[in-house]
Amino acid sequence: MTSLDRPTEDTQAEDARAVTEAALFEAFGGVRGMIETVLPGLLFVTIYTVNKDLHLSAIAALAVSLVLVAVRLAMRDTVKHAFSGVFGVAFGVVFAMMTGNAKDFYLPGMLYTLGLGLAYIVTTLCGVPLIGLILGPVFKENLSWRTRNPGRKKAYAKASYAWGLILLGKCAILFPLYWWADTTQLGWVLVALKIPPFLLAVWLTWLFLAKAPAPIDVFAEMEAAERAERQEREHRGTAEQSDGADDAADTADSRGRHRKA
């Protein structure tokens, strides 16, 4: 390797890291997505800590979720993270209102976290890491990593195990608190555990993918194949027109010779 090669390789590595960071930011919502995830639960536990009013706390949490969606819609931004927050809060409100137990506001989200943690582990054991299914379309590689990019599949497996273990570890803290702690204690611990485990999982994912082979852009491959096929058709059509012109010229020459004869 010459000294001139190193800057190019360093630049490519930096570009790959930047692409990975951008993809993770898009997939998981970035700072704004984290705010939309934390704010409804934070508002609920704050109001409930002050006045112990389940109805007011639940309505406020649902209202702020709807406001976040409305802001997204007004800005014509993607609403998937905000909508997921609304559904989570709505299920929590329904559970809490039905049982009259304020702690049940958090139960749907806790069950979702448990199911998601298990899904990360099970899908990885089955050879289809969930994080690869999530990030494959973002990286424009779809499922090409499964058969054509083993190094990347290994990175997705490591990342999925990391996500699964982190989420299950979070559940190991929250479910005992659901049974033994009061609503405010559970709520504040849950709010405190919203961001740090998420950031740890995202950081580990970035770490694994930054060291993995580059994704195979299957969309670019499809476009290249379509271009080649289109060029082949055009070339074939030009060749057929040329052959037709040659046949017409041969026919005209034959007729001219026949007349002279």
Side-chain angles (χ1 to χ4, degrees), residues 47-256:
I47 295 176
Y48 192 83
T49 299
V50 173
N51 59 19
K52 302 296 191 252
D53 189 330
L54 170 60
H55 291 80
L56 178 61
S57 302
I59 291 172
L62 185 59
V64 76
S65 297
L66 293 173
V67 168
L68 293 172
V69 171
V71 171
R72 288 265 190 179
L73 290 173
M75 299 178 65
R76 297 183 179 179
D77 199 355
T78 177
V79 296
K80 60 180 179 181
H81 299 290
F83 264 129
S84 64
V86 168
F87 287 127
V89 172
F91 278 117
V93 169
V94 170
F95 267 64
M97 293 295 185
M98 288 177 59
T99 64
N101 185 355
K103 282 196 291 187
D104 287 340
F105 173 79
Y106 303 109
L107 187 57
M110 292 166 57
L111 292 173
Y112 172 78
T113 300
L114 177 61
L116 186 59
L118 292 173
Y120 276 115
I121 301 296
V122 172
T123 55
T124 306
L125 291 174
C126 293
V128 192
L130 181 58
I131 199 71
L133 299 178
I134 295 172
L135 294 180
V138 178
F139 283 111
K140 300 181 180 180
E141 60 182 336
N142 283 350
L143 295 178
S144 62
W145 50 267
R146 287 197 63 201
T147 55
R148 300 172 57 191
N149 205 337
R152 197 157 182 85
K153 181 179 178 180
K154 185 177 180 180
Y156 281 139
K158 290 180 180 179
S160 290
Y161 278 130
W163 276 91
L165 293 174
I166 288 170
L167 292 178
L168 292 180
K170 181 177 175 180
C171 290
I173 297 172
L174 293 177
F175 276 96
L177 289 175
Y178 175 79
W179 295 109
W180 301 330
D182 60 29
T183 301
T184 56
Q185 290 171 334
L186 174 62
W188 286 113
V189 172
L190 196 147
V191 168
L193 289 178
K194 279 284 187 180
I195 302 302
F198 172 80
L199 292 179
L200 176 60
V202 170
W203 178 74
L204 289 173
T205 303
W206 175 85
L207 194 65
F208 294 138
L209 293 181
K211 297 178 180 179
I216 299 171
D217 191 338
V218 294
F219 294 102
E221 288 182 344
M222 287 176 9
E223 291 175 358
E226 290 175 358
R227 261 195 320 269
E229 184 179 354
R230 187 165 57 250
Q231 290 173 352
E232 178 64 23
R233 286 199 303 267
E234 292 174 354
H235 177 72
R236 193 181 303 118
T238 302
E240 289 175 356
Q241 290 177 358
S242 178
D243 291 341
D246 291 342
D247 291 342
D250 292 340
T251 302
D253 290 344
S254 175
R255 288 175 178 172

